[in-house]
Each structure stands twice: as structure tokens, then as C-alpha cells.
Amino acid sequence: MKQFTAKLSIVFIFMIGLNAAAQDFQGQAIYQAKTSVDMDSWGNGQMSEQQKKMIAERMKNMLEKTYVLNFNRSEATYKEEEKLDAPGSGGGMWSGMMSSFTGGPQYKNIKENVLLQEQEFFGKAFLVQDSLPNLEWKLENETKQIGQYTCFKATTTKKADEMDFMSMRRKNKEDDDKKEAEKKNGKKVQDSTKTEADDPFDELEVPKYIIVTAWYTPQIPVSTGPAEYHGLPGLILEVNADRTIMLCTKIVMNPKDKQNIDRPKKGDVVTRDEYNKIMKDKIQEMREMYGGRGRRN
């Protein structure tokens, strides 16, 4: 009886050790994110090449970023890598203003189905709390190699965030292209919908849905990836979502200097819908200020 009890104790200690090892499992992945912008659609298609180049340089820091994903089996944090702006890189006031319209550090908990995002909007701290998006992935047979990892393709259609500035585009661009062609052919084109009071924001829209292609590797058996993406049988190493590409360039498994994967707590807690309304109200306030100055002139 004593021998049987001793064996049970050994098994119990072994199981505790396995559970601790599983909890101790951690990895770090570095992602390069790049968003493309159709500069021809800016300024009603009437900007010079010099103006396009200047705006593209100013937007580079916003459109090309490096992110760090720290993850264990059930949690992950996804943060932009901190770096100093190079001289003449479009930092300062421009960078500070645009950071108010881009996503902050994220925390995901797969078990609890929780997505938290820290956000600073015009000097005020928010903690946007939401459920993880329900992504219905279609697993494909196609594979490719990313570094030393064999990756499998998966696709889904995702509802776009109405305030996703990375997916914003001009409305009725096809009509604009047609008018431009008519103008080149010598035809007179008049747009009666335009008035002096029109605002540039009125010409922008976000698509209702975007197609997402992901590449994941079962060699790293965690159901997470960059940004809000999750739900595949392996770490997601690449995401193509609308105009944005997120590509993993480095992976370190069980690093010596492990990073804490902590649930954020700072900021006024709001839902995504509530936060979007705050953004809309602020944009409307800015539009009215801009319009007011225009009318006084």
C-alpha cells in the first residue's frame, strides 16, 4: 500500500511539473507591418508628384512600423517597438496628432475571449475593452516557407472597423477616374455636388468588410498572431488584410529575458463602439473649427 501511495505521489509531482512547464512556455515574435496608400486618390487626384512625395514621407512613420508579440499558450501582448524619430522623418506635431488615430498596445486572452487596447486620444488615456473578433477561418491546402517554418494558408472575411484609418479610401473613385478620362478627351465635366463648404472627410469611407489571408505554422502550437488575429492551429506569421501586410521576421522561443504578459489597467474603460463615438465627436469638433475659420475668410 505504501509503495502504491509512493508511486501515486511521484505521478502527481510529475503532472505538476508538466503543468508548470506548460505555463512557463513563452515566445517572442517580431513583425514588420506596412500599409500601402493610393496617393493618386488624394487631393481629388490633382496633387503634383512633389506634393505626393512630401505627404508619403510624412506618413512613412505611421504606415511602416515594427511590432513585438510576446505570447504564451493563452495570452499575448502586441506593441509597437519604441524608437526615436530620425531628423526630418515627419515626427513632432504631425506624428503626435496621427498617433491619436492609430491603434495602441493590445492584450489578448484566448481563454477568456478578451481583447484590450490601450489608447491615448488627444492627451486622454482610454482602455478599449472588447471580445476577440469571431473569425471564421477557411483552411486552405496551400503552403509556403517563412524562415525555417512551414506555413499553411487560411482566409476569412472580417467586418471592418468603421474608424480604421488604415483602410480609408475615397468614395466613388471609379466616377472620378471616368471624369478624368472625359476631361482628357476635351469634354467639359461639372460636378454639382461639390460646394465650398464640403469637407475632405466627406470624401472618405471604410469598406464594410475586408478579406484577410493568413499564414500560420503548426510548428508553434499557439492560437494567436499579430494584432487581433487568432483562432488558427498555430502561430500566425503573416497577415494580408486589405492594404496592410504584417510579416514575422524573427522568432525567439522561451527567451532568457522573458517579458511580463500583463493585463493593462490604466485608462477610462470603454467599449469599441463607445470609443469610436468619442473619435467621431472629436473629428466633428475639428471639422466645425476648420469650417468656421474658412467662413471667416
Side-chain angles (χ1 to χ4, degrees):
M1 184 66 180
K2 288 182 179 181
Q3 187 177 4
F4 178 72
T5 303
K7 287 182 178 180
L8 281 179
S9 298
I10 292 172
V11 171
F12 181 68
I13 293 172
F14 179 71
M15 293 299 293
I16 291 176
L18 282 179
N19 188 49
Q23 291 177 346
D24 201 39
F25 168 89
Q26 188 172 326
Q28 184 180 87
I30 310 298
Y31 292 84
Q32 298 293 333
K34 185 173 183 179
T35 301
S36 60
V37 174
D38 180 12
M39 297 303 298
D40 291 333
S41 69
W42 282 59
N44 203 24
Q46 297 178 358
M47 286 196 305
S48 67
E49 291 302 318
Q50 183 65 25
Q51 288 173 319
K52 292 177 185 177
K53 184 178 179 181
M54 182 182 68
I55 291 177
E57 282 299 316
R58 284 176 173 263
M59 295 179 68
K60 187 174 181 179
N61 282 357
M62 184 179 72
L63 300 177
E64 298 181 17
K65 294 177 178 289
T66 302
Y67 290 91
V68 180
L69 177 74
N70 287 294
F71 59 90
N72 56 35
R73 296 194 187 277
S74 60
E75 297 174 288
T77 57
Y78 186 68
K79 302 178 181 180
E80 182 182 351
E81 185 178 67
E82 294 183 4
K83 61 180 180 180
L84 296 175
D85 290 329
S89 64
M93 184 181 297
W94 170 270
S95 179
M97 183 183 72
M98 294 312 298
S99 66
S100 293
F101 293 96
T102 56
Q106 288 184 337
Y107 166 86
K108 282 184 296 203
N109 190 310
I110 305 298
K111 285 185 177 179
E112 298 179 12
N113 192 36
V114 168
L115 175 64
L116 299 174
Q117 179 174 307
E118 298 177 79
Q119 190 67 53
E120 184 175 324
F121 189 62
F122 283 89
K124 187 171 182 179
F126 294 92
L127 184 59
V128 184
Q129 181 173 304
D130 209 345
S131 300
L132 287 167
N134 183 22
L135 302 173
E136 297 182 358
W137 294 103
K138 179 184 178 183
L139 305 185
E140 311 281 359
N141 293 326
E142 191 175 346
T143 64
K144 74 173 181 178
Q145 201 77 10
I146 298 180
Q148 67 187 63
Y149 299 96
T150 300
C151 296
F152 293 81
K153 184 179 180 180
T155 56
T156 189
T157 299
K158 185 186 81 164
K159 185 177 180 181
D161 183 344
E162 62 178 338
M163 299 302 290
D164 181 3
F165 285 84
M166 295 301 183
S167 292
M168 279 193 173
R169 61 204 67 194
R170 286 190 60 209
K171 299 176 183 177
N172 304 321
K173 186 176 184 298
E174 295 80 4
D175 293 343
D176 292 338
D177 293 340
K178 183 179 178 181
K179 291 174 184 176
E180 187 65 25
E182 291 176 350
K183 189 185 298 182
K184 288 180 179 179
N185 291 330
K187 296 181 180 179
K188 186 177 181 180
V189 178
Q190 184 175 0
D191 190 350
S192 60
T193 63
K194 300 291 182 184
T195 67
E196 292 183 358
D198 281 348
D199 190 279
F201 278 107
D202 291 332
E203 298 182 4
L204 301 176
E205 65 179 353
V206 175
K208 291 184 179 180
Y209 295 92
I210 60 174
I211 296 173
V212 179
T213 299
W215 296 88
Y216 66 96
T217 177
Q219 292 172 254
I220 304 178
V222 293
S223 185
T224 193
E228 72 270 27
Y229 297 101
H230 72 288
L232 287 168
L235 180 65
I236 300 171
L237 299 190
E238 181 179 333
V239 172
N240 289 266
D242 195 35
R243 297 173 173 176
T244 299
I245 298 176
M246 291 169 269
L247 176 63
C248 181
T249 57
K250 181 180 179 181
I251 296 176
V252 180
M253 298 305 301
N254 294 314
K256 291 182 180 179
D257 298 326
K258 294 184 177 179
Q259 300 294 316
N260 292 331
I261 302 178
D262 297 324
R263 184 188 295 257
K265 297 179 181 178
K266 295 182 179 179
D268 292 349
V269 178
V270 293
T271 65
R272 173 58 59 181
D273 288 342
E274 289 170 341
Y275 183 69
N276 283 350
K277 185 178 185 307
I278 292 169
M279 294 182 73
K280 287 179 185 177
D281 291 344
K282 185 63 178 180
I283 290 172
Q284 182 61 31
E285 178 186 329
M286 294 170 65
R287 291 174 63 175
E288 291 174 356
M289 290 175 63
Y290 173 81
R293 288 198 300 270
R295 282 189 291 271
R296 282 193 297 270
N297 291 335

